[in-house]
Amino acid sequence: MRTRTTRLTTAAAAAALLGLAACSNGADSGDVSLSIVQSGDGQQGGALQHMADLYEEETGVQIDVVEVPNADLRTRLRNSAQAEDLPAMAFSPNIDPVWTDQMLDLTEISESAGFYPELNLEDPNDGLIKSLPSTLTAVGMFVNVDLWEEAGVEFPTTLEEEWSWDEFVDAATEVVDSTDAEFGLVMDSSAHRLRAFLHQFGSKSVWLEDGEAVTSPETATALEYFYDMHDSGFMPRSVWTAGDDPSATFKSGRVAAYYSGSWQIADFEETVTEFEWMSVPMPQQPVRATNYGQASAFVAFDGTGVEEETLDFAEWFYSAENYEIYCEMSRCLPPMEGLDIDYGDNAYAFEIYNGEIAASSGLFELQHIKHMRSNYLGTAVDSEPLQDETVRYLNDEITLDEAIENILTVTTETREG
């Protein structure tokens, strides 16, 4: 399904007008205030509010942080754009064609911040950089240390210690057999996570050649391995096929390992108190790989009457001194090198993630560029055929060959070359 511009219905327009009051900017009353709309967890929201408070102390400019449920953020910004009352700024998961022509040029800020080059993607329509990465996220693995120690099973703790998927499954199975653990592994139901898993088996996932989606034989090997982990009961079938919460499943304390990502660290620091957890290197069969990308896109809007003040805040926020504070408080990976960030007791975990990213191939770069380009051109799709067809395969609705054929067919029909 391609993303398309839609007209406001009467009901949507009314909802937009109700929502705009909380997002309005102020520049005509003497005291400048800017609104920034975002959706995040408590750690991210708290960190952004802290930065807003710091900025007001330094400049007198008030930043209103408007939290919106993730499921509503896209509609909120669309309605605001169509009502010509966008906020000054937003952290948005995607670039929406409804408001691409209202984005401010952030090229100078991007260049001064020093983001990784692959994150500086220009709008193909005019060559300007109009979005900046909020933070970087990466796929990774956690273990329940208490269970592994109770079972007397060792696990790697540094990038120099490698383990294959076969070795991991054998070890985690021993943990399950020796303790009251119910499962060896739980993984987020996500194409983003599944692509990292495919890469670790040597697959390049799915890509386009002359307009046709193709894949490599390793994709079938990895998907069959994934099916077997579910079929044997090593993984809970209910997460991928019935939508059970994988994070809650791991937090129950009865799962040996959790395949998720860096965004869980802040949450685990706050909420996991019944057992010790630890970030560990991911298995490789034989490829070391993760999948990583920007958590969301920082965008600023034209036509608000506070454009200059908005750009001043963006430049301040992305300065090394201030962005380090944001990363420390939100427990996130920075999208640029050279920062001195104090992650406290979990600094080792971020070192593992950075090491996994550094060891990964350029596949991420290609995927990121394709994704952002399709966002700008309005050809982004809402479906994830890799995830959708894998679920059908796990449910025994289709065979492995049919799953791969369907993934390639849907990808060819919906993706831009």
Side-chain angles (χ1 to χ4, degrees):
M1 178 183 299
R2 294 180 183 275
T3 303
R4 299 181 186 281
T5 302
T6 58
R7 293 180 180 278
L8 271 177
T9 63
T10 302
L17 293 174
L18 289 173
L20 295 175
C23 300
S24 60
N25 308 296
D28 56 356
S29 61
D31 297 328
V32 176
S33 65
L34 311 173
S35 58
I36 179 167
V37 175
Q38 79 144 21
S39 177
D41 57 29
Q43 195 89 17
Q44 295 166 337
L48 187 57
Q49 185 59 58
H50 178 77
M51 302 310 294
D53 293 342
L54 281 181
Y55 192 67
E56 183 172 6
E57 289 176 11
E58 292 186 19
T59 66
V61 175
Q62 179 179 340
I63 308 294
D64 295 323
V65 179
V66 182
E67 289 286 348
V68 178
N70 186 58
D72 300 335
L73 183 57
R74 181 179 182 183
T75 300
R76 178 67 168 266
L77 291 176
R78 281 192 161 200
N79 290 346
S80 296
Q82 290 170 313
E84 298 183 353
D85 196 5
L86 281 162
M89 303 166 279
F91 283 117
S92 173
N94 292 298
I95 306 301
D96 196 318
V98 173
W99 41 259
T100 49
D101 62 350
Q102 295 171 263
M103 299 167 68
L104 291 177
D105 178 15
L106 304 174
T107 303
E108 291 187 8
I109 298 173
S110 176
E111 292 174 347
S112 63
F115 297 114
Y116 294 118
E118 61 267 28
L119 297 174
N120 291 324
L121 185 64
E122 301 172 347
D123 181 344
N125 297 299
D126 55 22
L128 302 178
I129 296 175
K130 300 175 179 177
S131 71
L132 309 175
S134 59
T135 60
L136 205 62
T137 65
V139 177
M141 180 176 277
F142 303 89
V143 297
N144 181 322
V145 176
D146 289 4
L147 290 175
W148 288 73
E149 288 186 346
E150 180 183 346
V153 179
E154 296 184 349
F155 53 85
T157 58
T158 69
L159 290 171
E160 288 70 33
E161 304 169 86
E162 300 176 351
W163 55 353
S164 68
W165 270 99
D166 291 338
E167 291 170 334
F168 163 75
V169 170
D170 287 345
T173 298
E174 187 176 346
V175 172
V176 173
D177 292 343
S178 304
T179 66
D180 66 349
E182 189 173 4
F183 300 107
L185 176 69
V186 62
M187 180 193 292
D188 295 339
S189 179
S190 157
H192 187 65
R193 248 67 82 218
L194 190 56
R195 288 192 186 95
F197 180 80
L198 299 182
H199 297 336
Q200 288 157 1
F201 279 75
S203 166
K204 297 180 181 177
S205 190
V206 177
W207 67 97
L208 296 182
E209 287 184 359
D210 299 326
E212 294 288 330
V214 296
T215 189
S216 56
E218 291 84 359
T219 298
T221 302
L223 289 178
E224 188 171 27
Y225 201 99
F226 194 59
Y227 178 97
D228 290 343
M229 288 196 294
H230 283 86
D231 193 48
S232 67
F234 183 75
M235 296 180 70
R237 187 178 291 272
S238 59
V239 170
W240 273 72
T241 62
D244 279 5
D245 183 350
S247 181
T249 303
F250 180 69
K251 290 177 181 178
S252 72
R254 300 189 64 191
V255 183
Y258 181 20
Y259 195 97
S260 185
S262 56
W263 54 91
Q264 297 284 0
I265 295 174
D267 176 49
F268 288 175
E269 286 179 333
E270 295 291 326
T271 63
V272 179
T273 58
E274 298 300 320
F275 61 88
E276 183 181 354
W277 58 272
M278 189 169 183
S279 286
V280 297
M282 287 187 289
Q284 49 196 83
Q285 194 105 339
V287 178
R288 165 153 281 158
T290 185
N291 200 12
Y292 61 102
Q294 63 180 27
S296 60
F298 173 88
V299 293
F301 296 109
D302 198 3
T304 63
V306 288
E307 292 85 351
E308 183 177 348
E309 293 85 352
T310 297
L311 293 176
D312 287 344
F313 171 75
E315 185 176 12
W316 176 90
F317 178 76
Y318 280 104
S319 68
E321 177 184 5
N322 294 315
Y323 194 72
E324 285 172 356
I325 298 173
Y326 178 70
C327 287
E328 289 178 5
M329 293 197 66
S330 62
R331 289 290 193 267
C332 66
L333 292 164
M336 69 283 276
E337 294 180 302
L339 299 186
D340 182 16
I341 301 170
D342 181 4
Y343 290 116
D345 293 340
N346 287 310
Y348 79 94
F350 291 93
E351 292 177 2
I352 288 176
Y353 277 103
N354 284 323
E356 301 268 26
I357 290 171
S360 298
S361 71
L363 289 173
F364 151 74
E365 181 177 347
L366 179 61
Q367 291 174 8
H368 174 75
I369 291 172
K370 289 281 188 184
H371 174 72
M372 292 297 291
R373 178 180 168 81
S374 62
N375 269 228
Y376 276 118
L377 295 175
T379 58
V381 294
D382 294 327
S383 66
E384 282 284 4
L386 176 62
Q387 179 178 353
D388 297 343
E389 298 303 322
T390 297
V391 170
R392 296 181 66 199
Y393 172 46
L394 294 177
N395 273 327
D396 293 322
E397 297 173 18
I398 55 177
T399 66
L400 173 60
D401 290 343
E402 289 170 336
I404 292 176
E405 181 179 351
N406 292 344
I407 291 168
L408 298 181
T409 298
V410 176
T411 302
T412 299
E413 292 174 347
T414 57
R415 260 58 168 181
E416 180 191 9

